Amino acid sequence: MTRSRLPAIERRRRRPGRCLLLAVAVTLLAGCGEGDSEALLGDYQQHLADTLDLEAPTRASPDNIGAFPERDQRLFEVAETREGMLDIYALRDCHLPSLVAGRNNQLGRVAPPSQRWLYELELWRRLSECWNTEVPATLSDASRERLSRLTDIKTEQLPRVSWNALFASEEWVKNFSRASSPLAPEALDETRPRSAALAYLREATLRQFDPDWAADSATLESHFKTLQERPFSAELLRTLLLAEQRLGEASTLIEQALARPDGQACPAGLEGLTRSPEAARLTEWLAALERSARHWLEAIDALLDAQVAPPPAVAEYRRAWLSLSHPEAPLPAFMEARDHHQALLSRLARRCQSIAGT
């Protein structure tokens, strides 16, 4: 699962050949199934190339995100707890029989992972509450021991059940679907309202042992529905990969300009490059992308931090694709590409100022 991607500049150096792209060709490409974010980046690349009197770079397809861990790699094994109905009936003062019967009926057996977690949560609460009443004193020795054992088992299992409720859900898995596209610029505004789903799931995880907090099935399913509406995590990650790739390609143009003799390094119009409409739109979009990605990934981080320690495959996926600090993860790699591009622009500007002053 580790990302084995070469740095953007090095990958481009190893890529054989270059295509000759005219401005009209770039425009046509931007209109053939590519999104608005791609068009925005392409417009900036073309404007940069025109200003520097260079050919526009060949736009290569950015890497896709890694595959989400397989089911057996991402879930915890939680042993079934089997008790006879007569034994459960002996604990009827704990209000267990109807709950267990509902779980064992046809609908209970096909319930989605989130509903299975709600069942386990309610079962644990009834067991725990019952154990702290006068009921145990009225039970036979065997039934009291069974109540104690079941309470301990369900207490120990519940954190892993809540993990499985998330990582077994179709909604969560599809949120990281590789069959996704980069986000359009306006879709970045969806980050904060959509992150309410992540915040609720985090609260549910943190407060599942809190007797003063009540899980609400409708609210829970509403937030899972939000996750199901679109693969937002994947789309955001792919937008970061796209931006990193295109910024790297744009940086090669500046490196080419810097490699020219002093007399050719500073074409007319360079002083207006950073004030152009294309540069202004790009700057605004890059800032919005960083804000949105950071907010979303911080919300995922907080949700996962509230859970039990993850299986190794999930921990590796998180480090490679969701990390806020690992240098090869999409967000830090995007920020490095952006900062490197800005540093090259500044270097070219200083050089041109120096030439103009001589």
Side-chain angles (χ1 to χ4, degrees):
M1 193 66 65
T2 302
R3 296 179 76 194
S4 57
R5 302 191 298 117
L6 293 167
I9 294 173
E10 183 63 22
R11 290 201 310 275
R12 289 189 297 278
R13 285 173 178 163
R14 295 188 181 187
R15 197 174 290 131
R18 293 177 60 87
C19 297
L20 297 178
L21 294 180
L22 300 174
V24 63
V26 174
T27 302
L28 287 173
L29 280 172
C32 295
E34 295 185 343
D36 292 341
S37 295
E38 177 72 277
L40 183 151
L41 288 159
D43 287 347
Y44 173 74
Q45 285 186 345
Q46 186 63 53
H47 179 71
L48 180 63
D50 292 342
T51 302
L52 298 177
D53 195 22
L54 292 167
E55 295 175 3
T58 300
R59 285 194 280 163
S61 297
D63 296 336
N64 199 349
I65 61 174
F68 206 59
E70 295 293 335
R71 182 181 178 87
D72 61 345
Q73 294 179 311
R74 66 178 186 264
L75 300 185
F76 290 105
E77 186 173 345
V78 179
E80 285 282 346
T81 305
R82 297 186 179 277
E83 301 288 339
M85 283 307 297
L86 288 178
D87 294 326
I88 294 298
Y89 183 73
L91 301 177
R92 58 190 177 278
D93 289 339
C94 297
H95 310 291
L96 298 182
S98 60
L99 180 65
V100 174
R103 172 66 176 84
N104 289 337
N105 67 22
Q106 186 64 29
L107 290 177
R109 287 195 292 271
V110 298
S114 56
Q115 293 299 311
R116 292 199 292 271
W117 171 70
L118 288 177
Y119 164 79
E120 292 289 336
L121 175 61
E122 182 60 24
L123 178 58
W124 171 79
R125 288 192 168 180
R126 292 191 189 187
L127 288 167
S128 181
E129 291 169 1
C130 188
W131 182 253
N132 291 289
T133 65
E134 69 285 354
V135 170
T138 68
L139 299 173
S140 67
D141 291 344
S143 292
R144 186 165 54 252
E145 187 279 332
R146 182 172 293 107
L147 175 60
S148 175
R149 176 170 51 79
L150 288 174
T151 303
D152 290 343
I153 290 173
K154 294 304 176 182
T155 301
E156 190 269 336
Q157 288 181 344
L158 191 58
R160 298 200 302 275
V161 171
S162 66
W163 170 278
N164 287 354
L166 180 63
F167 277 82
S169 68
E170 180 179 306
E171 297 90 343
W172 185 245
V173 174
K174 287 189 174 180
N175 211 257
F176 297 91
S177 171
R178 304 184 80 214
S180 54
S181 302
L183 291 168
E186 63 273 12
L188 295 175
D189 294 336
E190 299 180 25
T191 303
R192 289 188 178 274
R194 287 185 178 278
S195 67
L198 304 178
Y200 181 84
L201 293 172
R202 176 179 181 269
E203 181 185 26
T205 302
L206 289 173
R207 302 190 67 181
Q208 59 187 333
F209 288 111
D210 182 355
D212 294 327
W213 180 80
D216 179 73
S217 177
T219 302
L220 181 65
E221 294 308 320
S222 172
H223 287 304
F224 270 106
K225 181 180 178 182
T226 296
L227 294 176
Q228 189 178 39
E229 287 172 351
R230 64 187 302 173
F232 195 77
S233 295
E235 291 174 328
L236 192 54
L237 293 175
R238 295 203 66 178
T239 309
L240 291 169
L241 295 180
L242 173 66
E244 179 198 357
Q245 179 77 26
R246 298 292 176 256
L247 286 169
E249 292 162 356
S251 290
T252 60
L253 292 174
I254 305 175
E255 290 169 342
Q256 291 174 40
L258 288 167
R260 292 187 295 198
D262 285 352
Q264 303 174 24
C266 301
L270 180 65
E271 66 280 358
L273 176 61
T274 57
R275 297 192 296 273
S276 68
E278 294 85 355
R281 286 194 295 270
L282 181 69
T283 299
E284 182 180 358
W285 180 75
L286 292 176
L289 176 57
E290 182 188 354
R291 285 194 304 270
S292 297
R294 184 171 298 280
H295 180 83
W296 186 259
L297 292 174
E298 284 177 349
I300 291 179
D301 238 20
L303 170 58
L304 297 183
D305 281 345
Q307 300 277 355
V308 295
V314 176
E316 176 58 20
Y317 185 93
R318 182 182 181 184
R319 184 197 67 82
W321 298 101
L322 307 177
S323 175
L324 294 157
S325 58
H326 190 274
E328 292 188 356
L331 177 58
F334 152 73
M335 293 173 62
E336 193 278 332
R338 180 201 59 191
D339 294 346
H340 178 64
H341 184 72
Q342 185 59 52
L344 287 172
L345 282 172
S346 299
R347 180 181 164 192
L348 182 60
R350 288 195 302 271
R351 181 178 176 184
C352 292
Q353 289 171 0
S354 176
I355 293 172
T358 57

